[in-house]
Amino acid sequence: VEFNAKWVQLDRDYIVTVVRDISERKKNEERIARLNRVQAILGGVDRAIVHMSDRRKLMDEVCRIAVDLGGFKLAWIGLVAPDGAVQPVAQAGATGYLKNIRVVTQDVPAGRGAVGMAIRENRTVVIDDVARDARMAPWQERLRRFGLNYLAVFPIRIAGKVEGSFQVYAPQAGFFDENELGLLTQVS
């Protein structure tokens, strides 16, 4: 709510107050800020694709862009090893989270989280509150320690086959809506 007050001099002193509900304007401003953030990520990734021929450097740059321009606390790319383990190959932000992490693609506890599901099911997986999602139980203490509460995972397809995933972690729930997630899917 926005208040404007001013003195008006008549026969007596009066205060005139105008009250205006600006909640819709604030929502629109927040939505524009989120869309600008996504556009900055897409633009940065597009520039990196054009200028970088080394795959590893490109993946590192995508993660850096997601953290620096996207406002994420952590971004990483994992590729599937022959044994089904998801190996971090690029990362930026709160990378300590990834130290000795175990994520697999099989349907076992270490593979039932967002990363394993996204790769196994070839779909985007979003978890708004990782602390309350039972699928994230193997990693909840680690996530809490690093202040990671929101997670979106996008499968990476190479020649039509899912070869890994791109993960972004944010400090609060509801970091992106469906339209913004659709734009981020383009990154993967």
Side-chain angles (χ1 to χ4, degrees), residues 43-108:
V45 169
D46 285 347
R47 283 187 296 282
I49 288 170
V50 168
H51 295 11
M52 295 182 160
S53 58
D54 181 84
R55 184 186 215 184
R56 181 67 59 140
K57 287 181 182 177
L58 175 61
M59 289 189 288
D60 284 336
E61 183 67 2
V62 167
C63 292
R64 186 199 63 76
I65 289 167
V67 170
D68 291 352
L69 301 179
F72 292 103
K73 288 189 80 170
L74 170 65
W76 65 283
I77 294 174
L79 296 179
V80 180
D83 67 355
V86 180
Q87 301 295 320
V89 296
Q91 55 199 287
T95 58
Y97 170 79
L98 298 172
K99 185 175 175 147
N100 299 320
I101 196 164
R102 176 160 159 60
V103 179
V104 299
T105 57
Q106 296 89 355
D107 190 14
V108 297

Side-chain angles (χ1 to χ4, degrees), residues 122-137:
N122 188 19
R123 67 179 180 91
T124 298
V125 176
V126 176
I127 299 182
D128 263 339
D129 187 352
V130 296
R132 295 188 178 165
D133 194 303
R135 297 172 293 183
M136 299 303 292

Side-chain angles (χ1 to χ4, degrees), residues 18-188:
V18 177
V19 178
R20 217 177 339 180
D21 182 358
I22 60 168
S23 56
E24 191 63 34
R25 183 177 83 192
K26 289 290 185 188
K27 284 181 192 175
N28 288 335
E29 288 171 357
E30 289 169 10
R31 175 137 174 81
I32 289 168
R34 286 193 314 256
L35 288 172
N36 285 338
R37 189 172 54 223
V38 173
Q39 289 299 337
I41 294 170
L42 290 174
V45 169
D46 285 347
R47 283 187 296 282
I49 288 170
V50 168
H51 295 11
M52 295 182 160
S53 58
D54 181 84
R55 184 186 215 184
R56 181 67 59 140
K57 287 181 182 177
L58 175 61
M59 289 189 288
D60 284 336
E61 183 67 2
V62 167
C63 292
R64 186 199 63 76
I65 289 167
V67 170
D68 291 352
L69 301 179
F72 292 103
K73 288 189 80 170
L74 170 65
W76 65 283
I77 294 174
L79 296 179
V80 180
D83 67 355
V86 180
Q87 301 295 320
V89 296
Q91 55 199 287
T95 58
Y97 170 79
L98 298 172
K99 185 175 175 147
N100 299 320
I101 196 164
R102 176 160 159 60
V103 179
V104 299
T105 57
Q106 296 89 355
D107 190 14
V108 297
R112 291 188 188 125
V115 174
M117 282 178 63
I119 293 171
R120 200 171 45 254
E121 298 175 12
N122 188 19
R123 67 179 180 91
T124 298
V125 176
V126 176
I127 299 182
D128 263 339
D129 187 352
V130 296
R132 295 188 178 165
D133 194 303
R135 297 172 293 183
M136 299 303 292
W139 307 279
Q140 282 174 337
E141 173 57 29
R142 181 187 298 244
L143 290 159
R144 185 195 59 72
R145 225 175 335 148
F146 286 91
L148 305 172
N149 298 307
Y150 171 91
L151 168 61
V153 182
F154 307 90
I156 295 175
R157 297 170 198 87
I158 301 172
K161 182 180 177 212
V162 179
E163 298 286 340
S165 59
F166 172 55
Q167 293 71 233
V168 290
Y169 298 73
Q172 76 268 3
F175 203 70
F176 283 123
D177 67 16
E178 288 300 316
N179 293 328
E180 295 152 338
L181 287 169
L183 289 173
L184 277 175
T185 299
Q186 294 176 29
V187 172
S188 67

